[in-house]
Amino acid sequence: MKNRFKIIGQKKLCGSINISGSKNVCMSILIASILSNKMIIIRNIPIINDVKILIKILKLMGSKIFIYKNICYINNNYINKYNINFKIINKIRSSILLLGPIISKFNKFITIKPGGCKIGNRPINLHIKNIKKFNIDIKIYKNKIFCNKKNENNKTIFKEITMEKKSVGVTLNIIFLLVISNKITIINNCSLDIEILETIKFLNYLGSNIKIFKNKIVIFGVKKLKGGIYDIIYDRIELGTFIITSCISRGIIKLNNIEYKNDLKILIYKLKKIGHKINIGNNYIKIIPSIKYNSISIKTKEFPGFPTDLQPFICLLNILSNNNKKKGIITENIFENRLTHINQFIKMKATFNIINKKTIICNNTKKLYGHKKIITNDLRSSATLIIAACIAEGESIIYNIDNIYRGYEDFEKKLIKLGANIKKI
């Protein structure tokens, strides 16, 4: 609660900024690097708190790793620990992805249930259930997770599994577990999110043999991985954040440092449908917002559906729309606690009809008013409420701003460049 933003609103945000490297891709690729004992250089690393914590975890395990100007230098040949300080591991959700590579490297792992944003129940039972299918004994005792690989023969083993539910994290953990092995594995009903595709691309660059056929992944185990230099792609959620920001503030914004991969197709389609112009260039996206626009309705869903991470921003978009007849319906299907921003919007004089715990109707408020105590709960709600304060009439004080540094690089600096009036107090 100590760090706060003081924001003077009624600003039209416009200009040009660079989009940083992807938080989620960066986290999974840093963890995937554990599987190689060679020198790896990863470029376009976002300097955010989650990345800093993960690097600290890798250092405690013995990795020789450091960052200089968004470039990460890694030598994991010196990793020699399969258990780490639990207080550090508990700070980030991505720590659950250490299960696969650490078990692969040491045949055992002692860890604790992961932390992260408080956006609802994110159980690890799917991770445990699917990893157990590969001759791994896992026990949970007093919040600690004890993993041991059982003895097995060295003959090549073919295995095919079907995941009960699509999950980015579980898919990654299975890949990490089996990349270096004598096994051929088929994963059905797996996630093929952009984070999965980019991590597979990275591992194949290092020498793995992973194929994708329609909705399944086939892993041909290899003996070892090499090193190399790899670039992190742009952060699609940051890109979506600023695309919607342009529409909300009615200011023209150009977003650079991207090679658009059509991964926000559903968002761009919906925004164009209500009148906003979005021009996609070779390494940029330019938004020319409509002065008047309708609300839109969304239902969050796993990729390629509408991203849950962008749901709070659509709430804000709908609040400030001009059409009183059409009201946007928001349905959150991923996390049961991802509507905490609604109470804070109400402080700013927005109104909603709450249908149930996961569905709301955003009334067309047209105008928000600043408030002296806006409390953020998680990464995406923080970004949404900060942007809302930039547009609202009057002054706002935003609390818990450390949430924003978990996943956005230089967020307030980028907003200031676009014309926002923000000061840390």
Side-chain angles (χ1 to χ4, degrees):
M1 295 286 282
K2 288 182 180 179
N3 293 326
R4 295 163 289 162
F5 280 144
K6 178 181 176 181
I7 302 176
I8 308 299
Q10 286 187 295
K11 302 295 181 184
K12 178 184 281 191
L13 304 177
C14 56
S16 177
I17 58 171
N18 291 336
I19 297 299
S20 299
S22 169
K23 166 189 178 284
N24 293 333
V25 171
C26 176
M27 298 293 280
S28 60
I29 282 179
L30 284 175
I31 291 171
S33 75
I34 294 171
L35 296 167
S36 171
N37 290 330
K38 301 296 183 180
M39 186 69 187
I40 296 173
I41 298 173
I42 303 176
R43 299 185 295 203
N44 201 32
I45 291 276
I47 309 302
I48 55 177
N49 285 351
D50 274 21
V51 168
K52 292 176 183 177
I53 291 168
L54 179 56
I55 287 173
K56 189 173 183 179
I57 290 170
L58 293 177
K59 282 183 177 179
L60 289 172
M61 293 173 63
S63 175
K64 305 296 182 183
I65 180 171
F66 69 95
I67 289 181
Y68 178 72
K69 290 185 177 180
N70 298 94
I71 301 175
C72 189
Y73 302 84
I74 311 171
N75 188 341
N76 287 323
N77 187 47
Y78 300 95
I79 285 183
N80 57 14
K81 292 182 180 179
Y82 56 83
N83 60 345
I84 313 105
N85 185 294
F86 292 148
K87 289 183 180 179
I88 296 173
I89 281 226
N90 193 41
K91 289 183 178 180
I92 54 173
R93 177 68 189 174
S94 298
S95 64
I96 193 66
L97 298 181
L98 292 168
L99 283 171
I102 299 302
I103 294 171
S104 175
K105 205 174 186 85
F106 294 106
N107 293 330
K108 61 178 64 177
F109 187 34
I110 302 173
T111 186
I112 194 169
K113 291 182 180 180
C117 284
K118 297 175 182 178
I119 53 177
N121 187 30
R122 294 192 281 182
I124 63 169
N125 60 305
L126 279 177
H127 292 269
I128 303 302
K129 186 175 183 179
N130 284 281
I131 289 174
K132 278 184 173 181
K133 294 175 182 177
F134 297 95
N135 210 34
I136 310 297
D137 180 51
I138 301 178
K139 295 178 181 178
I140 300 176
Y141 178 70
K142 290 185 177 180
N143 215 36
K144 294 180 182 178
I145 306 170
F146 299 85
C147 310
N148 285 282
K149 189 174 184 180
K150 300 175 186 177
N151 293 328
E152 58 183 359
N153 60 45
N154 292 320
K155 293 181 180 180
T156 300
I157 299 171
F158 171 82
K159 193 174 186 69
E160 182 171 3
I161 69 164
T162 299
M163 290 173 52
E164 299 81 357
K165 182 181 178 181
K166 289 183 180 181
S167 165
V168 172
V170 177
T171 304
L172 286 171
N173 254 329
I174 296 172
I175 292 171
F176 295 156
L177 183 66
L178 298 165
V179 164
I180 300 176
S181 70
N182 61 347
K183 296 178 176 61
I184 300 172
T185 308
I186 297 176
I187 313 171
N188 297 305
N189 195 38
C190 54
S191 171
L192 291 174
D193 204 312
I194 191 70
E195 286 81 9
I196 302 288
L197 301 180
E198 285 297 311
T199 304
I200 289 174
K201 184 179 176 183
F202 169 71
L203 286 168
N204 283 345
Y205 169 73
L206 297 185
S208 73
N209 187 1
I210 305 171
K211 308 291 185 185
I212 298 173
F213 299 98
K214 294 184 178 179
N215 64 339
K216 63 180 64 180
I217 294 173
V218 183
I219 306 166
F220 300 88
V222 298
K223 290 184 178 180
K224 61 181 180 180
L225 300 179
K226 61 182 181 179
I229 302 172
Y230 199 82
D231 293 317
I232 300 292
I233 65 164
Y234 65 90
D235 192 305
R236 70 186 179 111
I237 302 302
E238 183 186 6
L239 176 63
T241 297
F242 283 105
I243 288 174
I244 299 171
T245 296
S246 175
C247 299
I248 289 165
S249 73
R250 277 79 167 179
I252 296 172
I253 296 179
K254 184 182 179 187
L255 304 169
N256 309 302
N257 196 35
I258 60 173
E259 292 181 16
Y260 182 59
K261 297 180 180 295
N262 213 30
D263 48 358
L264 290 178
K265 181 179 179 180
I266 188 169
L267 170 67
I268 290 175
Y269 168 77
K270 284 182 174 290
L271 293 177
K272 283 184 173 181
K273 193 173 180 180
I274 59 174
H276 302 293
K277 294 182 180 179
I278 301 174
N279 299 327
I280 300 173
N282 290 331
N283 61 352
Y284 71 89
I285 287 181
K286 186 176 183 180
I287 307 95
I288 304 171
S290 175
I291 301 300
K292 293 185 177 182
Y293 63 86
N294 295 326
S295 297
I296 60 176
S297 296
I298 61 160
K299 295 180 180 180
T300 63
K301 197 176 180 181
E302 294 86 357
F303 186 85
F306 198 93
T308 178
D309 283 346
L310 293 178
Q311 173 261 114
F313 304 97
I314 297 299
C315 288
L316 180 56
L317 181 79
N318 286 346
I319 289 168
L320 297 170
S321 70
N322 307 87
N323 190 341
N324 288 320
K325 294 181 180 179
K326 187 176 181 180
K327 298 178 180 180
I329 302 173
I330 306 292
T331 303
E332 175 54 56
N333 291 314
I334 308 298
F335 296 116
E336 72 274 14
N337 197 29
R338 198 159 215 172
L339 291 170
T340 58
H341 46 279
I342 299 303
N343 288 333
Q344 305 307 308
F345 281 142
I346 290 171
K347 290 180 182 179
M348 305 175 83
K349 306 303 181 184
T351 61
F352 302 87
N353 295 329
I354 299 173
I355 307 302
N356 52 47
K357 289 183 178 180
K358 68 175 188 177
T359 304
I360 60 166
I361 297 175
C362 306
N363 295 321
N364 311 105
T365 308
K366 293 186 180 179
K367 192 173 186 178
L368 294 176
Y369 296 87
H371 192 277
K372 295 297 179 68
K373 196 169 185 179
I374 301 295
I375 300 173
T376 69
N377 186 65
D378 62 76
L379 171 59
R380 305 306 173 186
S381 74
S382 297
T384 308
L385 292 165
I386 289 167
I387 293 165
C390 291
I391 296 158
E393 182 177 311
E395 178 182 300
S396 296
I397 306 295
I398 311 291
Y399 288 75
N400 291 346
I401 62 170
D402 285 347
N403 284 320
I404 202 71
Y405 300 119
R406 287 193 52 245
Y408 287 93
E409 183 179 37
D410 297 329
F411 189 67
E412 76 269 29
K413 291 181 181 178
K414 291 178 181 179
L415 285 174
I416 289 169
K417 187 176 180 183
L418 294 174
N421 186 339
I422 303 177
K423 289 183 181 178
K424 187 183 288 187
I425 58 175

